[in-house]
Amino acid sequence: MVDAGWNLWLPGPLREILDALGASEGVRRRAARSLDAPAAPALLAEWERFRLVAPSRLDVPGTPSELDVEQAVALLEGLGLAIGDPPRPVAQPHPVETVLTLDHEDVSDLERLRAATDVGPIATPTSDLPDPTARFGGEKTGRNDPCPCGSGRKFKKCHGV
């Protein structure tokens, strides 16, 4: 399978570290603290999916809590998403080829993820949509009537200018 890049596969903490590269010190500190945060079950599942597709040449820890900032940057460099010293994100990462052996449950998860990103055809024909020039709400508001916005002021002093 040829993928557009690793960004869709990256778990949250690695995405935060990648986004923090080249950012301010405060942003980098927040990203580093995200590695120490307790992992929710959804994050652990995301991390396990990443471990399945990560190249075998990379040493991916079992859980995100076992990762420190230097290891995270090394993983990003190994994936071709970060480069240099100090590290910074690669502007146009190369597409990656991943070879996956998936069981039925993993295939259905992958299909669900792909379906979530596919908008599909437009279901409502444009002829069924309301006319954008149609007026709703009845008659025209008089200058001395209360403003329909609910401010309590006269229309001429509120929205009638």
PDB file of all heavy atoms in Angstrom, residues 62-92:
ATOM      1  N   GLY A  62       6.490   0.091  23.460  1.00  0.00           N
ATOM      2  CA  GLY A  62       5.189  -0.556  23.595  1.00  0.00           C
ATOM      3  C   GLY A  62       4.060   0.402  23.907  1.00  0.00           C
ATOM      4  O   GLY A  62       2.933   0.194  23.485  1.00  0.00           O
ATOM      5  N   THR A  63       4.346   1.446  24.665  1.00  0.00           N
ATOM      6  CA  THR A  63       3.321   2.440  25.012  1.00  0.00           C
ATOM      7  C   THR A  63       3.923   3.833  24.853  1.00  0.00           C
ATOM      8  O   THR A  63       5.139   4.008  24.918  1.00  0.00           O
ATOM      9  CB  THR A  63       2.837   2.273  26.465  1.00  0.00           C
ATOM     10  OG1 THR A  63       3.938   2.489  27.343  1.00  0.00           O
ATOM     11  CG2 THR A  63       2.223   0.908  26.698  1.00  0.00           C
ATOM     12  N   PRO A  64       3.071   4.858  24.696  1.00  0.00           N
ATOM     13  CA  PRO A  64       3.606   6.214  24.552  1.00  0.00           C
ATOM     14  C   PRO A  64       4.313   6.711  25.805  1.00  0.00           C
ATOM     15  O   PRO A  64       5.200   7.552  25.728  1.00  0.00           O
ATOM     16  CB  PRO A  64       2.380   7.068  24.241  1.00  0.00           C
ATOM     17  CG  PRO A  64       1.198   6.212  24.394  1.00  0.00           C
ATOM     18  CD  PRO A  64       1.636   4.803  24.489  1.00  0.00           C
ATOM     19  N   SER A  65       3.969   6.179  26.972  1.00  0.00           N
ATOM     20  CA  SER A  65       4.611   6.639  28.210  1.00  0.00           C
ATOM     21  C   SER A  65       6.077   6.204  28.292  1.00  0.00           C
ATOM     22  O   SER A  65       6.843   6.759  29.070  1.00  0.00           O
ATOM     23  CB  SER A  65       3.836   6.130  29.428  1.00  0.00           C
ATOM     24  OG  SER A  65       3.822   4.719  29.431  1.00  0.00           O
ATOM     25  N   GLU A  66       6.477   5.211  27.492  1.00  0.00           N
ATOM     26  CA  GLU A  66       7.873   4.768  27.475  1.00  0.00           C
ATOM     27  C   GLU A  66       8.740   5.634  26.566  1.00  0.00           C
ATOM     28  O   GLU A  66       9.927   5.385  26.419  1.00  0.00           O
ATOM     29  CB  GLU A  66       7.947   3.319  26.990  1.00  0.00           C
ATOM     30  CG  GLU A  66       7.216   2.329  27.864  1.00  0.00           C
ATOM     31  CD  GLU A  66       7.162   0.945  27.244  1.00  0.00           C
ATOM     32  OE1 GLU A  66       8.039   0.625  26.412  1.00  0.00           O
ATOM     33  OE2 GLU A  66       6.242   0.194  27.578  1.00  0.00           O
ATOM     34  N   LEU A  67       8.157   6.646  25.957  1.00  0.00           N
ATOM     35  CA  LEU A  67       8.835   7.479  24.968  1.00  0.00           C
ATOM     36  C   LEU A  67       9.230   8.810  25.593  1.00  0.00           C
ATOM     37  O   LEU A  67       8.459   9.406  26.341  1.00  0.00           O
ATOM     38  CB  LEU A  67       7.860   7.721  23.799  1.00  0.00           C
ATOM     39  CG  LEU A  67       8.364   8.304  22.513  1.00  0.00           C
ATOM     40  CD1 LEU A  67       9.301   7.311  21.826  1.00  0.00           C
ATOM     41  CD2 LEU A  67       7.206   8.596  21.593  1.00  0.00           C
ATOM     42  N   ASP A  68      10.459   9.287  25.317  1.00  0.00           N
ATOM     43  CA  ASP A  68      10.831  10.634  25.717  1.00  0.00           C
ATOM     44  C   ASP A  68      10.970  11.483  24.450  1.00  0.00           C
ATOM     45  O   ASP A  68      10.814  10.985  23.338  1.00  0.00           O
ATOM     46  CB  ASP A  68      12.098  10.650  26.570  1.00  0.00           C
ATOM     47  CG  ASP A  68      13.321  10.121  25.841  1.00  0.00           C
ATOM     48  OD1 ASP A  68      13.292  10.004  24.610  1.00  0.00           O
ATOM     49  OD2 ASP A  68      14.328   9.833  26.515  1.00  0.00           O
ATOM     50  N   VAL A  69      11.248  12.766  24.615  1.00  0.00           N
ATOM     51  CA  VAL A  69      11.275  13.687  23.476  1.00  0.00           C
ATOM     52  C   VAL A  69      12.348  13.293  22.459  1.00  0.00           C
ATOM     53  O   VAL A  69      12.098  13.304  21.252  1.00  0.00           O
ATOM     54  CB  VAL A  69      11.484  15.143  23.958  1.00  0.00           C
ATOM     55  CG1 VAL A  69      11.615  16.088  22.785  1.00  0.00           C
ATOM     56  CG2 VAL A  69      10.340  15.574  24.853  1.00  0.00           C
ATOM     57  N   GLU A  70      13.529  12.907  22.933  1.00  0.00           N
ATOM     58  CA  GLU A  70      14.608  12.544  22.012  1.00  0.00           C
ATOM     59  C   GLU A  70      14.224  11.317  21.181  1.00  0.00           C
ATOM     60  O   GLU A  70      14.480  11.266  19.982  1.00  0.00           O
ATOM     61  CB  GLU A  70      15.919  12.271  22.768  1.00  0.00           C
ATOM     62  CG  GLU A  70      16.561  13.515  23.369  1.00  0.00           C
ATOM     63  CD  GLU A  70      15.875  13.956  24.662  1.00  0.00           C
ATOM     64  OE1 GLU A  70      15.259  13.120  25.360  1.00  0.00           O
ATOM     65  OE2 GLU A  70      15.928  15.162  24.957  1.00  0.00           O
ATOM     66  N   GLN A  71      13.610  10.317  21.826  1.00  0.00           N
ATOM     67  CA  GLN A  71      13.171   9.137  21.092  1.00  0.00           C
ATOM     68  C   GLN A  71      12.068   9.493  20.096  1.00  0.00           C
ATOM     69  O   GLN A  71      12.031   8.956  18.992  1.00  0.00           O
ATOM     70  CB  GLN A  71      12.649   8.062  22.056  1.00  0.00           C
ATOM     71  CG  GLN A  71      13.717   7.427  22.904  1.00  0.00           C
ATOM     72  CD  GLN A  71      13.093   6.525  23.965  1.00  0.00           C
ATOM     73  OE1 GLN A  71      12.085   6.867  24.563  1.00  0.00           O
ATOM     74  NE2 GLN A  71      13.719   5.375  24.186  1.00  0.00           N
ATOM     75  N   ALA A  72      11.172  10.394  20.498  1.00  0.00           N
ATOM     76  CA  ALA A  72      10.095  10.814  19.599  1.00  0.00           C
ATOM     77  C   ALA A  72      10.664  11.505  18.365  1.00  0.00           C
ATOM     78  O   ALA A  72      10.242  11.231  17.234  1.00  0.00           O
ATOM     79  CB  ALA A  72       9.129  11.748  20.328  1.00  0.00           C
ATOM     80  N   VAL A  73      11.642  12.378  18.574  1.00  0.00           N
ATOM     81  CA  VAL A  73      12.274  13.066  17.435  1.00  0.00           C
ATOM     82  C   VAL A  73      13.015  12.052  16.561  1.00  0.00           C
ATOM     83  O   VAL A  73      12.959  12.125  15.332  1.00  0.00           O
ATOM     84  CB  VAL A  73      13.214  14.191  17.935  1.00  0.00           C
ATOM     85  CG1 VAL A  73      14.035  14.755  16.801  1.00  0.00           C
ATOM     86  CG2 VAL A  73      12.399  15.297  18.594  1.00  0.00           C
ATOM     87  N   ALA A  74      13.669  11.071  17.186  1.00  0.00           N
ATOM     88  CA  ALA A  74      14.362  10.038  16.411  1.00  0.00           C
ATOM     89  C   ALA A  74      13.369   9.228  15.568  1.00  0.00           C
ATOM     90  O   ALA A  74      13.651   8.900  14.413  1.00  0.00           O
ATOM     91  CB  ALA A  74      15.145   9.112  17.343  1.00  0.00           C
ATOM     92  N   LEU A  75      12.202   8.912  16.134  1.00  0.00           N
ATOM     93  CA  LEU A  75      11.169   8.214  15.367  1.00  0.00           C
ATOM     94  C   LEU A  75      10.712   9.064  14.180  1.00  0.00           C
ATOM     95  O   LEU A  75      10.571   8.563  13.066  1.00  0.00           O
ATOM     96  CB  LEU A  75       9.959   7.901  16.249  1.00  0.00           C
ATOM     97  CG  LEU A  75       9.982   6.625  17.052  1.00  0.00           C
ATOM     98  CD1 LEU A  75       8.789   6.566  17.986  1.00  0.00           C
ATOM     99  CD2 LEU A  75       9.994   5.419  16.145  1.00  0.00           C
ATOM    100  N   LEU A  76      10.480  10.348  14.430  1.00  0.00           N
ATOM    101  CA  LEU A  76      10.034  11.245  13.351  1.00  0.00           C
ATOM    102  C   LEU A  76      11.100  11.375  12.267  1.00  0.00           C
ATOM    103  O   LEU A  76      10.779  11.424  11.079  1.00  0.00           O
ATOM    104  CB  LEU A  76       9.668  12.616  13.922  1.00  0.00           C
ATOM    105  CG  LEU A  76       8.438  12.631  14.841  1.00  0.00           C
ATOM    106  CD1 LEU A  76       8.296  13.981  15.525  1.00  0.00           C
ATOM    107  CD2 LEU A  76       7.179  12.280  14.068  1.00  0.00           C
ATOM    108  N   GLU A  77      12.363  11.419  12.670  1.00  0.00           N
ATOM    109  CA  GLU A  77      13.447  11.463  11.683  1.00  0.00           C
ATOM    110  C   GLU A  77      13.510  10.157  10.903  1.00  0.00           C
ATOM    111  O   GLU A  77      13.721  10.155   9.690  1.00  0.00           O
ATOM    112  CB  GLU A  77      14.781  11.752  12.369  1.00  0.00           C
ATOM    113  CG  GLU A  77      14.914  13.192  12.831  1.00  0.00           C
ATOM    114  CD  GLU A  77      16.181  13.441  13.634  1.00  0.00           C
ATOM    115  OE1 GLU A  77      16.838  12.474  14.088  1.00  0.00           O
ATOM    116  OE2 GLU A  77      16.510  14.629  13.818  1.00  0.00           O
ATOM    117  N   GLY A  78      13.308   9.024  11.583  1.00  0.00           N
ATOM    118  CA  GLY A  78      13.316   7.732  10.916  1.00  0.00           C
ATOM    119  C   GLY A  78      12.184   7.586   9.914  1.00  0.00           C
ATOM    120  O   GLY A  78      12.304   6.876   8.912  1.00  0.00           O
ATOM    121  N   LEU A  79      11.084   8.266  10.175  1.00  0.00           N
ATOM    122  CA  LEU A  79       9.943   8.240   9.254  1.00  0.00           C
ATOM    123  C   LEU A  79      10.078   9.272   8.136  1.00  0.00           C
ATOM    124  O   LEU A  79       9.253   9.315   7.227  1.00  0.00           O
ATOM    125  CB  LEU A  79       8.646   8.502  10.023  1.00  0.00           C
ATOM    126  CG  LEU A  79       8.242   7.446  11.038  1.00  0.00           C
ATOM    127  CD1 LEU A  79       7.078   7.937  11.888  1.00  0.00           C
ATOM    128  CD2 LEU A  79       7.898   6.146  10.346  1.00  0.00           C
ATOM    129  N   GLY A  80      11.114  10.117   8.218  1.00  0.00           N
ATOM    130  CA  GLY A  80      11.312  11.141   7.197  1.00  0.00           C
ATOM    131  C   GLY A  80      10.438  12.362   7.392  1.00  0.00           C
ATOM    132  O   GLY A  80      10.204  13.121   6.452  1.00  0.00           O
ATOM    133  N   LEU A  81       9.945  12.582   8.616  1.00  0.00           N
ATOM    134  CA  LEU A  81       9.083  13.728   8.896  1.00  0.00           C
ATOM    135  C   LEU A  81       9.821  14.883   9.553  1.00  0.00           C
ATOM    136  O   LEU A  81       9.307  15.988   9.610  1.00  0.00           O
ATOM    137  CB  LEU A  81       7.917  13.303   9.790  1.00  0.00           C
ATOM    138  CG  LEU A  81       6.963  12.279   9.181  1.00  0.00           C
ATOM    139  CD1 LEU A  81       5.943  11.850  10.204  1.00  0.00           C
ATOM    140  CD2 LEU A  81       6.292  12.850   7.952  1.00  0.00           C
ATOM    141  N   ALA A  82      11.014  14.629  10.080  1.00  0.00           N
ATOM    142  CA  ALA A  82      11.815  15.666  10.728  1.00  0.00           C
ATOM    143  C   ALA A  82      13.242  15.542  10.228  1.00  0.00           C
ATOM    144  O   ALA A  82      13.701  14.461   9.872  1.00  0.00           O
ATOM    145  CB  ALA A  82      11.762  15.524  12.247  1.00  0.00           C
ATOM    146  N   ILE A  83      13.929  16.679  10.199  1.00  0.00           N
ATOM    147  CA  ILE A  83      15.305  16.690   9.698  1.00  0.00           C
ATOM    148  C   ILE A  83      16.064  17.836  10.359  1.00  0.00           C
ATOM    149  O   ILE A  83      15.474  18.838  10.764  1.00  0.00           O
ATOM    150  CB  ILE A  83      15.320  16.846   8.160  1.00  0.00           C
ATOM    151  CG1 ILE A  83      16.698  16.582   7.597  1.00  0.00           C
ATOM    152  CG2 ILE A  83      14.790  18.193   7.740  1.00  0.00           C
ATOM    153  CD1 ILE A  83      16.716  16.430   6.093  1.00  0.00           C
ATOM    154  N   GLY A  84      17.368  17.688  10.458  1.00  0.00           N
ATOM    155  CA  GLY A  84      18.226  18.780  10.895  1.00  0.00           C
ATOM    156  C   GLY A  84      18.535  18.790  12.373  1.00  0.00           C
ATOM    157  O   GLY A  84      18.052  17.983  13.149  1.00  0.00           O
ATOM    158  N   ASP A  85      19.412  19.740  12.728  1.00  0.00           N
ATOM    159  CA  ASP A  85      19.780  19.952  14.113  1.00  0.00           C
ATOM    160  C   ASP A  85      19.805  21.452  14.358  1.00  0.00           C
ATOM    161  O   ASP A  85      20.681  22.130  13.828  1.00  0.00           O
ATOM    162  CB  ASP A  85      21.146  19.330  14.418  1.00  0.00           C
ATOM    163  CG  ASP A  85      21.460  19.352  15.899  1.00  0.00           C
ATOM    164  OD1 ASP A  85      20.499  19.344  16.691  1.00  0.00           O
ATOM    165  OD2 ASP A  85      22.649  19.367  16.250  1.00  0.00           O
ATOM    166  N   PRO A  86      18.890  22.056  15.040  1.00  0.00           N
ATOM    167  CA  PRO A  86      17.767  21.459  15.745  1.00  0.00           C
ATOM    168  C   PRO A  86      16.736  20.899  14.761  1.00  0.00           C
ATOM    169  O   PRO A  86      16.594  21.405  13.651  1.00  0.00           O
ATOM    170  CB  PRO A  86      17.189  22.613  16.560  1.00  0.00           C
ATOM    171  CG  PRO A  86      17.554  23.832  15.803  1.00  0.00           C
ATOM    172  CD  PRO A  86      18.877  23.523  15.152  1.00  0.00           C
ATOM    173  N   PRO A  87      16.022  19.855  15.166  1.00  0.00           N
ATOM    174  CA  PRO A  87      15.075  19.220  14.249  1.00  0.00           C
ATOM    175  C   PRO A  87      13.921  20.151  13.882  1.00  0.00           C
ATOM    176  O   PRO A  87      13.467  20.942  14.695  1.00  0.00           O
ATOM    177  CB  PRO A  87      14.571  18.011  15.029  1.00  0.00           C
ATOM    178  CG  PRO A  87      14.908  18.262  16.436  1.00  0.00           C
ATOM    179  CD  PRO A  87      16.051  19.207  16.466  1.00  0.00           C
ATOM    180  N   ARG A  88      13.488  20.037  12.647  1.00  0.00           N
ATOM    181  CA  ARG A  88      12.345  20.805  12.159  1.00  0.00           C
ATOM    182  C   ARG A  88      11.542  19.897  11.230  1.00  0.00           C
ATOM    183  O   ARG A  88      12.084  18.947  10.677  1.00  0.00           O
ATOM    184  CB  ARG A  88      12.797  22.078  11.458  1.00  0.00           C
ATOM    185  CG  ARG A  88      13.638  21.827  10.250  1.00  0.00           C
ATOM    186  CD  ARG A  88      14.246  23.111   9.688  1.00  0.00           C
ATOM    187  NE  ARG A  88      14.941  22.846   8.456  1.00  0.00           N
ATOM    188  CZ  ARG A  88      16.112  22.243   8.340  1.00  0.00           C
ATOM    189  NH1 ARG A  88      16.738  21.827   9.416  1.00  0.00           N
ATOM    190  NH2 ARG A  88      16.668  22.033   7.173  1.00  0.00           N
ATOM    191  N   PRO A  89      10.261  20.175  11.054  1.00  0.00           N
ATOM    192  CA  PRO A  89       9.437  19.319  10.196  1.00  0.00           C
ATOM    193  C   PRO A  89       9.870  19.414   8.734  1.00  0.00           C
ATOM    194  O   PRO A  89      10.316  20.459   8.270  1.00  0.00           O
ATOM    195  CB  PRO A  89       8.020  19.863  10.364  1.00  0.00           C
ATOM    196  CG  PRO A  89       8.070  20.876  11.423  1.00  0.00           C
ATOM    197  CD  PRO A  89       9.489  21.223  11.693  1.00  0.00           C
ATOM    198  N   VAL A  90       9.752  18.325   8.015  1.00  0.00           N
ATOM    199  CA  VAL A  90      10.024  18.298   6.582  1.00  0.00           C
ATOM    200  C   VAL A  90       8.804  18.891   5.885  1.00  0.00           C
ATOM    201  O   VAL A  90       7.665  18.507   6.178  1.00  0.00           O
ATOM    202  CB  VAL A  90      10.285  16.851   6.109  1.00  0.00           C
ATOM    203  CG1 VAL A  90      10.402  16.778   4.610  1.00  0.00           C
ATOM    204  CG2 VAL A  90      11.526  16.309   6.775  1.00  0.00           C
ATOM    205  N   ALA A  91       9.043  19.823   4.965  1.00  0.00           N
ATOM    206  CA  ALA A  91       7.933  20.503   4.303  1.00  0.00           C
ATOM    207  C   ALA A  91       7.096  19.550   3.452  1.00  0.00           C
ATOM    208  O   ALA A  91       5.878  19.538   3.537  1.00  0.00           O
ATOM    209  CB  ALA A  91       8.468  21.650   3.450  1.00  0.00           C
ATOM    210  N   GLN A  92       7.713  18.760   2.612  1.00  0.00           N
ATOM    211  CA  GLN A  92       7.010  17.820   1.733  1.00  0.00           C
ATOM    212  C   GLN A  92       7.544  16.411   1.975  1.00  0.00           C
ATOM    213  O   GLN A  92       8.455  15.972   1.288  1.00  0.00           O
ATOM    214  CB  GLN A  92       7.226  18.205   0.268  1.00  0.00           C
ATOM    215  CG  GLN A  92       6.628  19.531  -0.150  1.00  0.00           C
ATOM    216  CD  GLN A  92       5.112  19.489  -0.107  1.00  0.00           C
ATOM    217  OE1 GLN A  92       4.499  18.487  -0.430  1.00  0.00           O
ATOM    218  NE2 GLN A  92       4.505  20.585   0.308  1.00  0.00           N
TER     219      GLN A  92
END
